[in-house]
Amino acid sequence: MPEGQLKNIFVVGLDDANLPTLEAVPDADSYQFHRLLTIEELQEGEVSVNDLLQRARAVLDAHDGSIDGIVGYWDFPVSTLVPMLGEEYGTRTTSLESVVKCEHKYWSRLEQRKAIDAHPRFGRVDLDTDTPLPPDGVSFPMWLKPALAYSSELAFGVKDEAEFRTAVEEIRAGIGRVGRPFGTVLDLLDLPEEMRGVGGEVCLAEEAMTGIQVAVEGYVYQGRPTVYGVLDSINYPDSPCFLRHQYPSTLPPDVIRTLHEVSERTMAQIGFDSATFSIEYFYDPHTGEVSLLEINPRHSQSHAELFQYVDGVPNHSRMISLALGRDPALPGRRGEYAMAAKWYYRWFADGTVHEIPTPEQIAAIEREIPGIRIDIVPEEGQKLSTVSQQDSYSYEVAHIFTGGDDEADLRRKFDRAVAALGLTFD
């Protein structure tokens, strides 16, 4: 296709790990993908939304050609930069308000309460008092978390008042890094009465949910929410940390239908449109109830390989179609494998990682084990606690994607890949 006919897609935070998957979407030869800001600029140190906007504008203004789409697949600030830049440069995105309604955990719960019953009891914790207390009506065990944070940063499960006080002190100390810049985004919106004066540096408490974790992937096109995939989220034994995401879900059909209905009602209430979303739930097999954990108002890049393995097309395709105003619907189950999983190879103590294979060695492992892909998280000799965006309980060492005939096949490939990597720690 001639250069002048290519659709120019600017990807906020485009990284090397996702570029091959973007280039695997249908009609990829008709797109030109452009990097817009680096991961380091977006997620390390103090975040300045205004500074990031200026840097992004400099790149877009210097571009000699059309700007056909602006997309991103990371959390704040990427999720908010996409609609802000989209409004300025005339590209299709959901509104900034709809994104903030999802990302601000307290505002999100208020919106959910208007549309569904599938949520825990929740409330705000007043961090400005000398002795913060749990909100009225919210019982232990509970989770404390900032209104906004990267991954599970500053999220704490607490079972009594002593743990509550310890968690509050840690949240107080770290909430400003993301909360302050998030507050500048809130200032751009015409907030409803229930959100005035709340701000970005807010601590939310909500009762702990139990059951099987599950993720729902969907999109809204021309005002109509659609769920296109449900994935099981399986934790390490006796741990809140993910072991793997697995697609498709093995939950009963009636539970899948409920997840579709709750997700679609919620996103319609929020006013989301022209974008993809991901929602995390708990399903309690004893009661049959589902409980919404959180809404991610962005594309879920971490599951792209799973959809490629099973459906034949990475879900990046839907993100691009929506950005270009096209119907993102795709046929399913046309991939090479019946099931797929993203595994989180973790280390549950701090340490320094050694003997990381070279890219050539990793490529050889991927050739030797059909249906796998490996992304190493830390660098050679790096202390795990210095790796960005780690949760409070463990350290991610590698992401290993597997496609297979069944769960046993997925497990065998994961175990072979871990053994072949041969990583050591001290």
Side-chain angles (χ1 to χ4, degrees):
M1 177 174 288
E3 179 73 23
Q5 297 181 21
L6 293 175
K7 295 290 187 182
N8 292 295
I9 312 293
F10 287 82
V11 185
V12 184
L14 175 59
D15 56 327
D16 291 338
N18 275 285
L19 185 56
T21 317
L22 282 167
E23 293 174 338
V25 303
D27 302 320
D29 58 351
S30 66
Y31 307 137
Q32 180 68 50
F33 296 108
H34 303 268
R35 296 178 189 269
L36 190 58
L37 304 176
T38 66
I39 297 298
E40 290 73 24
E41 287 177 295
L42 290 159
Q43 296 181 344
E44 294 185 0
E46 289 290 332
V47 177
S48 169
V49 174
N50 288 333
D51 181 49
L52 292 170
L53 281 171
Q54 290 177 2
R55 296 186 200 183
R57 290 176 187 129
V59 174
L60 294 168
D61 292 344
H63 174 67
D64 184 16
S66 62
I67 299 173
D68 301 294
I70 300 174
V71 299
Y73 37 70
W74 301 104
D75 292 323
F76 180 84
V78 174
S79 53
T80 51
L81 289 172
V82 169
M84 294 169 82
L85 292 169
E87 184 175 0
E88 287 189 34
Y89 290 88
T91 58
R92 293 176 180 83
T93 74
T94 192
S95 68
L96 176 62
E97 179 177 305
S98 68
V99 168
V100 176
K101 279 182 179 180
C102 296
E103 288 215 309
H104 193 291
K105 290 181 171 60
Y106 180 66
W107 196 358
S108 182
R109 288 299 190 201
L110 295 179
E111 289 296 308
Q112 293 165 35
R113 191 163 61 186
K114 298 172 185 176
I116 61 172
D117 296 322
H119 58 76
R121 288 192 286 268
F122 66 95
R124 290 162 53 195
V125 176
D126 187 353
L127 297 179
D128 295 329
T129 65
D130 293 334
T131 55
L133 298 172
D136 291 340
V138 180
S139 303
F140 293 109
M142 67 179 68
W143 280 85
L144 299 185
K145 56 189 76 172
L148 184 71
Y150 293 132
S151 187
S152 297
E153 187 178 280
L154 295 180
F156 299 94
V158 299
K159 64 178 183 294
D160 55 36
E161 290 188 7
E163 291 186 355
F164 177 91
R165 289 192 296 270
T166 300
V168 164
E169 289 308 310
E170 292 205 40
I171 291 171
R172 269 177 168 165
I175 195 171
R177 186 174 83 87
V178 179
R180 279 191 295 271
F182 193 35
T184 66
V185 175
L186 284 169
D187 291 341
L188 300 175
L189 303 175
D190 182 13
L191 297 173
E193 184 63 34
E194 60 193 357
M195 279 297 295
R196 288 175 188 164
V198 173
E201 297 180 63
V202 177
C203 178
L204 176 72
E206 53 189 35
E207 290 187 359
M209 292 168 277
T210 59
I212 299 167
Q213 286 188 260
V214 56
V216 169
E217 300 288 336
Y219 61 82
V220 185
Y221 175 61
Q222 295 184 345
R224 181 177 179 181
T226 299
V227 170
Y228 64 81
V230 179
L231 305 87
D232 294 330
S233 300
I234 300 163
N235 288 351
Y236 279 82
D238 302 317
S239 167
C241 303
F242 288 133
L243 170 62
R244 70 182 184 272
H245 294 292
Q246 185 171 292
Y247 176 68
S249 172
T250 57
L251 292 177
D254 61 322
V255 178
I256 301 292
R257 282 194 298 271
T258 297
L259 291 166
H260 280 234
E261 292 166 1
V262 171
S263 301
E264 290 164 6
R265 287 205 309 272
T266 300
M267 299 315 288
Q269 167 64 37
I270 286 170
F272 205 75
D273 202 4
S274 301
T276 57
F277 62 85
S278 173
I279 307 180
E280 298 175 41
Y281 289 92
F282 278 91
Y283 162 64
D284 188 334
H286 302 294
T287 64
E289 295 181 350
V290 299
S291 297
L292 194 155
L293 176 58
E294 66 179 17
I295 305 169
N296 298 305
R298 53 156 175 81
H299 179 62
S300 183
Q301 51 85 19
S302 66
H303 298 157
E305 286 84 358
L306 310 191
F307 289 98
Q308 186 170 15
Y309 279 147
V310 176
D311 292 338
V313 178
N315 62 349
H316 286 342
S317 175
R318 292 183 171 90
M319 173 182 71
I320 295 167
S321 294
L322 288 160
L324 297 175
R326 300 171 181 167
D327 188 340
L330 291 168
R333 308 299 191 269
R334 296 192 177 184
E336 187 175 353
Y337 300 99
M339 301 189 78
K342 176 185 179 180
W343 299 80
Y344 296 82
Y345 177 29
R346 298 178 185 270
W347 201 250
F348 287 84
D350 199 4
T352 302
V353 62
H354 297 290
E355 300 183 53
I356 290 180
T358 64
E360 293 75 19
Q361 290 171 322
I362 290 175
I365 296 171
E366 292 173 342
R367 287 193 298 271
E368 181 183 343
I369 310 172
I372 73 160
R373 193 192 134 202
I374 300 169
D375 288 333
I376 303 293
V377 177
E379 298 177 355
E380 173 65 35
Q382 184 175 14
K383 192 173 182 179
L384 294 175
S385 58
T386 67
V387 179
S388 64
Q389 296 193 70
Q390 299 296 305
D391 63 31
S392 305
Y393 306 95
S394 68
Y395 305 99
E396 295 178 11
V397 178
H399 301 150
I400 300 174
F401 302 87
T402 60
D405 298 330
D406 51 31
E407 288 189 24
D409 195 20
L410 298 178
R411 165 63 78 172
R412 281 192 296 269
K413 290 183 177 181
F414 171 69
D415 291 340
R416 286 182 63 191
V418 169
L421 286 174
L423 300 176
T424 60
F425 307 87
D426 61 34

